């Protein structure tokens, strides 16, 4: 093994970190312009890599970085501005450097060589462009002046005499005649056919020679071919360069190292003449000449000299001149550095951090995990042991283990910003590619999370970012038309919240068209038109997470193939996290990723189901519900499934026993429900017993269990008992819980609060093809009851329900009679009263802010609102309660044998007379003198029959009867005086069940009994 | 590369556009070879929309200059960028502009 091998990885790691820094600074430069400190930092980074490359003999890297460094040097000196082109070149050079560094020492491929040449060519062009600006030679000066008033196009007139021009005699003698220097070389260059094919520009080589001090560069055309004889693969001339100076031939060869295929060249030495040799003794020695030249070239002001001195010091540091001195002073320290491969790091950094191999860290973490397991076992022992001394030591062990665990976990923590470093570059390149202007704002970069978690979310984040760029942000012209700023904004934000990391990626782009998603979902067969109509906007947005779902009109290389959001979601959910999407059409979208801080050691609830223990990650648990007598009543059957009515939500229940062991769940009394949050949905997991929350060490599943989606790992608890860790998502899948059937929970954060403000949950049910709704908060339970258990007593339905008699009211008469079985019943309950509303079937639950489109006058209906994009009648539960109250009163009265008779009569005398008749017959009489009071009494009391006179204080008997029969079917009788007019011709005479003429007691009672009897009532009192 | 040639009375306008490729170049020069011109004809070649490397254009211009040299004038139109690049090959242009 060569001496390089052990440090190669370190070289790669360090160099990549330095290049990452260069990339970051480059992107900053583009927006803020030249910043001396930033440029110095970039220069230092590149110089450092170049130095290391040279030390290890990675020549290709060193050669490339040499040119890179030159460009940075010119920038650092303010000669080259960070224009877009320059920044492009810098970034491409960083990319190329990264590729070289990934395989240091490897031979360059032809493609790599071409890239290198091309980039070097461009870098040199920029550097030399600067030279032309600062020191234009005679001819160039003239051209520079032209440039000031540069027209859009330049015209060069060529005299027709070109042909008649004698072709220049290019002979060795001609060149020799022109040579007026004593030492140096004549270099002749021609382009090879391969160079022509590759459009290789020899200018960059000429520039390098110019940099070395070329005195003249002449193009000597050969015989210009005729148009038709011209072979464009061949050139017909050569460049002749006079290069004075004391170079070696190898130094010139070095310039051509990478262009040997593209250029042919010859190097001819110009030997110093004797007389010139003698000149060395003279005062005007070459060194002096050089010095004079230097003076001309570096004619600095005093201030510039100071800056130069500073730069010189920096150069010395960078060139390791100063370091060499330090090596002599502290040789031991440097040797240690060399061993660790750390050189040129800042002293403070050396003291505060060291570089540790990640495998060593992983080993440490594994050992800590084992220690935690061991601690747990001891803790279990301590619970049973009655040894005070042992317990004391175990407690100490517990404390120390926790501290070690915490410290070890910290070594895995990394700032999330480290995974964001490449994002600005992605945004820059993609936005340019897409013709968009985008500003990326990053907040919370210092938020720390587990390295392993970060690795998992890195790609999903990039995907969401690309999505935002491609689908979210509009092009500048569209944005301006919409009244937005031309530059779109993408915001990345990370923060901690309750043991989770929240990462938000939002944009102020066009948002998501819910209707568009709906159409695509229907087209793709993910839902039917009818089903889609029932979905709320959030449910529709969820289609975006279906595999293969794409809204892109065309597939681009950036996105649009519909591969992505489902993968993003899968990745995040595998981590025990969730992805949430909010979008406002026209205004932008927000993706919120919620992930656990770490995966190695997690807090979990140990539960028992049957004879087995399982661990449920605490992160997924919302709450625990003990199924005591009170809560047992909240478990109801809905569409064949068990549902828990928990506060204002209905929670689908899954029996762990049934899911895992395929055993039927026996009585759930005294069991526990673990309320699980899985993504943005929740469900209740029925377990036999909950044990305790423990810090568990996650161990991978045995390969035999790996394909079972219900488990995510194993752990050890107590006395080496192996426990399987449940994958809450897998459990939901196995239980066939469809996403739509989950209970959506409202989020507690501010943004969500805005969205869910004033929203109410409604239970939707259908009635004769129309949608009805009831406030879910008023619903006690949903039941599907056996029709055989429904009893009918005096046209009133009842059912034996939870040791009580529950009155049933049909939403519309005839539902029970239609033969539906089981009978869907919505149970309403107050402290005093309960009843079941019989409907045709349950439909859905909707969460919406209700705005009544129309207030209803229909009894039992509050009004009409739009729910799930459909006009929906919202029922008035209070009205139904009143009906039940009356019905129950009716029953009570019936049980007591009492009949309530409402007597409405203007005349006090007649009213009192009738009252005495009624009471004498054992009935209960309520007397009123006006229609208004009569209607009011009807609401307050369970009236079985109304006895009205012809005249009332505010109306008449006909009007009263008419009002009563508008929403009640209470029999009404009218008593007419003998002197009264005949009402047989009155249009409303049929409003009365019976007509009584005169106030004879027997006649009244006879008629009354007849009517009551017809209505199933008898006077028993 | 596209080549557009217009001949109006005593002026030939040639417009070259796109990237120079040797294959297409042969076609181009064949087109040009077919144009009739005499000593009274002026020739204008607009290379400003060419994306070829400057030195290649320069070789091309030399060949064209030779071809059209019996004409009255030969005018070559370059973009500022081409001229800037071309300046780095001053010797080539000096051959063209030399009187």
């Amino acid at each position: 093994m060569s001496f390089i091998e052990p440090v190669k990885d370190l070289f790669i790691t360090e160099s990549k970190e330095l290049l990452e820094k260069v990339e970051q600074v480059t992107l900053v430069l583009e927006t803020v312009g030249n910043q001396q400190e930033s440029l110095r930092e970039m220069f230092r980074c590149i110089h450092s890599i170049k130095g290391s490359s040279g030390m290890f003999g990675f020549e290709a890297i060193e050669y490339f970085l040499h040119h890179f460094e030159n460009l940075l040097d010119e920038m650092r000196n303010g000669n080259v501005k960070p224009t877009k082109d320059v920044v492009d070149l810098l970034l491409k050079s960083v990319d190329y450097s990264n590729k070289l560094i990934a395989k240091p020492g490897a031979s360059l491929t032809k493609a790599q060589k071409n890239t290198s040449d091309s980039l070097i060519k461009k870098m040199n062009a920029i550097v030399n462009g600067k030279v032309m600006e600062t020191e234009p030679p005679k001819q160039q000066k003239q051209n520079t002046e032209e440039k000031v008033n540069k027209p859009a196009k330049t015209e060069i007139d060529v005299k027709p005499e070109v042909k008649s021009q004698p072709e220049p005699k290019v002979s060795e003698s001609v060149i020799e005649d022109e040579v007026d220097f004593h030492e140096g070389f004549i270099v002749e260059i021609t382009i090879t056919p391969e160079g022509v094919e590759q459009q290789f520009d020899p200018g960059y080589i000429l520039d390098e020679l110019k940099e070395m001090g070329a005195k003249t560069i002449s193009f000597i055309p050969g015989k210009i071919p005729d148009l038709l004889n011209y072979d464009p693969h061949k050139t017909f001339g050569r460049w002749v360069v006079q290069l004075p100076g004391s170079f070696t031939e190898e130094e010139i060869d070095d310039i051509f190292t990478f262009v040997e295929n593209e250029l042919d060249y010859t190097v001819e030495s110009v030997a110093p003449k004797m007389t010139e040799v003698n000149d060395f003794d003279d005062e005007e020695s070459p060194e002096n000449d050089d010095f004079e030249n230097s003076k001309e070239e570096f004619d600095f002001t005093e201030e510039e000299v100071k800056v130069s001195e500073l730069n010189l010091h920096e150069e010395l540091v960078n060139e390791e001149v100063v370091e060499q001195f330090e090596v002599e002073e502290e040789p031991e320290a440097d040797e240690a550095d060399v061993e660790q491969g750390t050189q040129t790091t800042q002293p403070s950094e050396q003291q505060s951090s060291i570089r540790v191999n990640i495998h060593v860290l992983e080993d440490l973490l594994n050992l800590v995990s084992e220690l935690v397991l061991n601690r747990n076992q001891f803790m279990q022992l301590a619970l049973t042991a009655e040894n005070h001394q042992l317990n004391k030591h175990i407690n100490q062990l517990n404390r120390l283990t926790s501290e070690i665990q915490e410290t070890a976990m910290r070594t895995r923590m990394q700032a999330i910003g480290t995974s964001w470093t490449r994002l600005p570059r992605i945004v820059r390149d993609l936005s340019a590619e897409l013709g968009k202007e985008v500003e990326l704002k990053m907040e919370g970069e210092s938020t720390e999370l587990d390295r392993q978690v970060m690795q998992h979310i890195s790609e999903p984040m990039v995907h969401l970012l690309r999505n935002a760029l491609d689908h979210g942000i509009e092009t500048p012209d569209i944005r301006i038309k919409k009244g937005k700023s031309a530059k779109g904004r993408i915001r990345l934000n990370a923060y901690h919240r309750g043991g989770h990391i929240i990462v938000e990626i939002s944009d102020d782009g066009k948002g998501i068209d819910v209707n568009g998603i709906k159409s695509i979902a229907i087209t793709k067969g993910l839902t039917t038109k009818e089903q889609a109509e029932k979905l709320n906007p959030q449910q529709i947005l969820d289609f975006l997470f279906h595999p293969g779902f794409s809204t892109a009109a065309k597939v681009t290389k950036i996105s649009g193939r519909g591969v992505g959001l489902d993968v993003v979601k899968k990745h995040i959910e595998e981590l025990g996290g969730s992805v949430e999407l909010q979008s406002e059409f026209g205004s932008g979208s927000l993706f919120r990723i919620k992930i656990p801080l770490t995966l190695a050691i997690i807090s979990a609830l140990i539960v028992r189901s049957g004879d087995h223990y399982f661990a449920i990650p605490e992160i997924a648990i919302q709450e625990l519900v003990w199924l005591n007598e009170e809560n047992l009543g909240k478990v109801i059957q809905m569409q064949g499934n068990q549902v828990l009515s928990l506060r204002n939500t209905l929670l689908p229940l899954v029996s762990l026993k049934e899911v895992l062991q395929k055993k039927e769940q026996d009585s759930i009394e005294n069991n526990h429900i673990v309320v699980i949050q899985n993504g943005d949905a929740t469900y209740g997991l029925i377990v036999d017993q909950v044990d305790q929350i423990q810090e568990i060490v996650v161990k991978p599943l045995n390969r035999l269990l790996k394909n079972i989606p219900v488990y995510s790992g194993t752990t050890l608890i107590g006395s080496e008992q192996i426990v399987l860790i449940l994958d809450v998502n897998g459990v939901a899948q196995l239980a066939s819980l469809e996403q739509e059937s989950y209970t959506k929970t409202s989020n507690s954060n501010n943004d969500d609060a805005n969205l869910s403000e004033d929203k109410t949950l409604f239970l939707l049910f259908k009635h004769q093809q129309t949608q009805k709704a009831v406030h879910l908060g008023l619903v006690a339970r949903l039941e599907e009851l056996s029709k055989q258990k429904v009893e009918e007593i005096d046209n009133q339905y009842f059912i034996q329900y939870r040791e009580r008699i529950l009155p049933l009211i049909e939403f519309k008469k005839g539902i029970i009679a239609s033969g539906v079985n089981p009978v869907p019943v919505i149970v309403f309950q107050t402290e005093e009263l309960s009843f079941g509303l019989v409907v045709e079937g349950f439909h859905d639950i909707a969460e919406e802010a209700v705005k009544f489109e129309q207030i209803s006058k229909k009894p039992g209906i509050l009004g009409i609102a739009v729910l799930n994009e459909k006009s929906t009648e919202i029922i008035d539960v209070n009205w139904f309660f009143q009906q039940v109250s009356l019905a129950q009163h009716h029953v009570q009265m019936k049980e007591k044998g009492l009949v309530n008779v409402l007597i409405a009569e203007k005349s006090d005398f007649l009213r009192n007379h009738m009252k005495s008749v009624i009471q004498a017959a054992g009935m209960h009489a309520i007397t009123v003198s006006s229609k208004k009071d009569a209607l009011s009494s009807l609401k307050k009391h369970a009236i079985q029959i109304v006895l009205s006179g012809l005249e009332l204080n505010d109306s008449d008997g006909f009007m009263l009867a008419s009002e009563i029969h508008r929403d009640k079917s209470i029999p009404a009788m009218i008593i007419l005086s003998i002197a009264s007019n005949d009402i047989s011709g009155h249009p409303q005479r049929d409003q009365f069940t019976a007509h009584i003429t005169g106030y004879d007691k027997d006649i009244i009672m006879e008629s009354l009994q007849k009517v009551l009897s017809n209505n199933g009532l008898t006077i028993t009192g | 590369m596209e080549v557009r040639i217009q001949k109006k009375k005593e002026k030939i306008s040639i417009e070259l556009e796109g990237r120079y490729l040797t294959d297409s170049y042969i076609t181009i020069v064949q087109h040009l070879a077919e144009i009739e011109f005499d000593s009274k004809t002026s020739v204008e070649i607009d290379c400003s929309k060419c994306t070829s490397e400057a030195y290649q254009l320069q070789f091309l211009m030399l060949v064209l200059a030779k071809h059209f040299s019996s004409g009255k004038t030969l005018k070559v139109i370059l973009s500022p960028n081409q001229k800037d690049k071309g300046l780095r090959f001053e010797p080539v242009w000096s051959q063209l502009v030399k009187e």
Side-chain angles (χ1 to χ4, degrees), chain A residues 703-975:
Chain A
R703 62 184 176 83
L704 295 173
L705 298 173
K706 239 173 189 168
N707 293 327
I708 304 175
V710 187
Y711 307 116
S712 62
T714 59
T715 191
L716 282 173
I717 60 163
S719 52
E720 298 193 356
Q721 185 172 10
I722 295 173
V723 164
L724 287 159
I725 303 166
L726 293 178
D727 178 336
V728 293
N729 187 32
V731 171
Q733 280 175 10
L734 201 65
S736 306
L737 282 182
E738 287 179 12
Q739 188 72 19
E740 289 76 9
S741 70
Y742 282 40
T743 305
K744 299 281 180 184
T745 53
S746 59
N747 258 306
S748 55
N749 63 54
N750 292 338
D751 292 339
D752 295 342
N754 291 336
L755 282 176
S756 57
E757 198 175 25
D758 297 331
K759 281 189 174 178
T760 312
L761 279 168
F762 285 93
L763 171 72
L764 305 180
F765 60 94
K766 287 244 169 180
H767 181 77
Q768 293 172 351
Q769 306 305 317
T770 60
Q771 185 169 274
K772 316 284 176 194
V774 60
H775 190 304
L776 194 61
L778 302 170
V779 176
R781 287 179 296 279
L782 299 178
E783 297 281 10
E784 286 183 322
L785 304 172
S786 167
K787 196 194 167 192
Q788 285 72 32
K789 292 184 179 175
V790 177
E791 296 172 53
E792 186 179 0
I793 306 166
D794 295 337
N795 293 327
Q796 176 72 49
Y797 292 107
F798 297 91
I799 193 162
Q800 296 277 345
Y801 180 76
R802 295 183 188 272
E803 298 169 2
R804 282 181 299 173
I805 292 176
L806 183 74
L808 298 176
I809 298 180
E810 292 175 296
F811 184 72
K812 285 286 175 194
K813 278 196 171 174
I815 297 175
I816 294 173
S818 71
V820 60
N821 195 12
V823 182
V825 177
I826 306 171
V827 180
F828 297 94
Q829 190 171 11
T830 65
E831 284 181 5
E832 298 165 350
L833 206 58
S834 60
F835 75 96
L837 184 69
V838 179
V839 296
E840 286 181 353
F842 309 123
H843 176 44
D844 200 356
I845 288 170
E847 185 181 17
E848 288 196 30
V850 168
K851 186 184 167 195
F852 281 110
E853 301 291 328
Q854 191 183 322
I855 304 297
S856 175
K857 288 181 181 173
K858 277 165 73 176
I861 302 294
L862 283 173
I864 298 171
V866 176
L867 293 178
N868 275 6
E869 300 180 359
K870 288 188 93 173
S871 291
T872 308
E873 281 188 337
I874 296 174
I875 68 164
D876 180 357
V877 179
N878 284 336
W879 185 88
F880 283 96
F881 264 116
Q882 279 179 8
Q883 304 310 303
V884 176
S885 170
L886 298 181
Q888 289 208 339
H889 191 236
H890 179 103
V891 172
Q892 285 165 6
M893 295 296 285
K894 196 176 77 171
E895 282 168 355
K896 289 177 187 172
L898 289 174
V899 173
N900 270 346
V901 181
L902 177 68
I903 301 165
E905 170 57 55
K906 182 181 175 183
S907 159
D908 291 343
F909 169 75
L910 291 175
R911 197 169 59 240
N912 288 332
H913 169 71
M914 286 192 283
K915 186 179 175 184
S916 61
V917 172
I918 296 298
Q919 284 178 337
M923 291 180 283
H924 184 244
I926 299 160
T927 56
V928 292
S929 60
S930 65
K931 183 187 85 176
K932 187 184 165 194
D933 289 343
L935 294 174
S936 173
S937 291
L938 281 164
K939 283 181 184 171
K940 288 178 193 163
H941 307 284
I943 308 290
Q944 278 86 48
I945 191 164
V946 177
L947 206 54
S948 175
L950 185 63
E951 286 184 15
L952 299 174
N953 281 341
D954 55 354
S955 184
D956 59 28
F958 291 106
M959 292 295 286
L960 173 62
S962 172
E963 288 271 341
I964 291 169
H965 291 145
R966 187 172 294 167
D967 39 286
K968 287 180 195 289
S969 56
I970 299 172
M973 300 169 67
I974 190 163
I975 301 180

Side-chain angles (χ1 to χ4, degrees), chain B residues 19-22 25 29 32-33 35 39-40 50 53 55 57-58 66 74 82-83 85 91:
Chain B
R19 190 172 172 81
Y20 167 94
L21 292 169
T22 50
Y25 180 72
V29 294
L32 294 175
I35 299 171
S39 59
K40 290 178 186 173
C50 269
E53 285 295 333
Y55 81 94
L57 277 174
Q58 288 157 2
K66 182 183 174 186
L74 171 62
Q82 284 168 332
K83 197 180 176 199
K85 282 189 107 179

Side-chain angles (χ1 to χ4, degrees), chain A residues 146 154 158 160 163 207 224, chain B residues 55 66 69 74 78 83 88:
Chain A
E146 281 173 21
T154 307
V158 183
K163 191 187 178 186
D207 288 340
I224 300 174
Chain B
Y55 81 94
K66 182 183 174 186
S69 61
L74 171 62
L78 299 173
K83 197 180 176 199
R88 293 169 56 241

Side-chain angles (χ1 to χ4, degrees), chain A residues 76-110:
Chain A
R76 191 174 59 163
N77 295 332
N79 296 325
V80 175
K81 302 243 174 332
T83 60
K84 189 180 175 300
D85 288 343
V86 171
V87 169
D88 273 339
L89 182 60
L90 289 174
L91 292 173
K92 280 178 187 164
S93 301
V94 169
D95 292 345
Y96 180 68
S97 305
N98 262 316
K99 281 180 189 162
L100 288 180
I101 282 160
K103 289 182 181 173
S107 310
L108 294 185
T109 62
K110 196 174 177 187

Side-chain angles (χ1 to χ4, degrees), chain A residues 121 125 128 132 139-140 143 146-147 150-165 167-168 191 195-197 199-204 206-207 217-219 221 223-228 230 232-233 235-237 239, chain B residues 19-23 25-26 29-30 32-33 44 46 48-49 51-53 55-56 59-60 62-80 83-85 87-93 95-99:
Chain A
K121 192 165 76 174
N128 291 321
M132 282 173 63
Q139 182 71 39
Q140 288 161 351
N143 296 322
E146 281 173 21
K147 261 199 268 177
K150 192 157 41 182
K153 290 176 180 176
T154 307
E155 295 181 357
I156 298 172
D157 286 336
V158 183
K159 298 295 177 191
E161 288 78 21
V162 168
K163 191 187 178 186
S164 59
Q165 285 270 326
E167 286 177 17
I191 307 176
V196 175
E197 189 65 39
Q199 300 218 24
F200 181 78
D201 187 347
Y204 303 107
L206 298 176
D207 288 340
I217 298 174
S218 311
F219 177 71
K223 183 176 167 36
I224 300 174
D226 293 335
L227 189 62
L228 287 173
Y230 174 47
H233 287 96
T235 53
F236 45 84
W239 283 268
Chain B
R19 190 172 172 81
Y20 167 94
L21 292 169
T22 50
D23 292 344
Y25 180 72
I26 293 165
V29 294
Q30 279 173 344
L32 294 175
E44 186 179 280
D46 186 350
S48 61
K49 291 175 185 166
T51 52
S52 302
E53 285 295 333
Y55 81 94
Q56 284 188 306
F59 280 117
L60 169 62
L62 285 173
V63 176
L64 291 179
K66 182 183 174 186
H67 183 72
F68 291 117
S69 61
S70 61
K72 201 171 91 185
T73 54
L74 171 62
K75 188 185 278 184
V76 179
I77 301 170
L78 299 173
S79 70
K83 197 180 176 199
D84 283 351
K85 282 189 107 179
L87 291 173
R88 293 169 56 241
F89 299 91
E90 185 58 34
V92 178
W93 289 112
Q95 294 297 318
L96 283 167
V97 298
K98 201 177 279 178
E99 293 200 16

Side-chain angles (χ1 to χ4, degrees), chain A residues 995-1008:
Chain A
H995 307 156
I996 302 167
T997 305
Y999 295 97
D1000 183 78
K1001 177 190 162 193
D1002 292 334
I1003 296 172
I1004 290 173
M1005 283 313 299
E1006 188 185 336
S1007 300
L1008 201 60

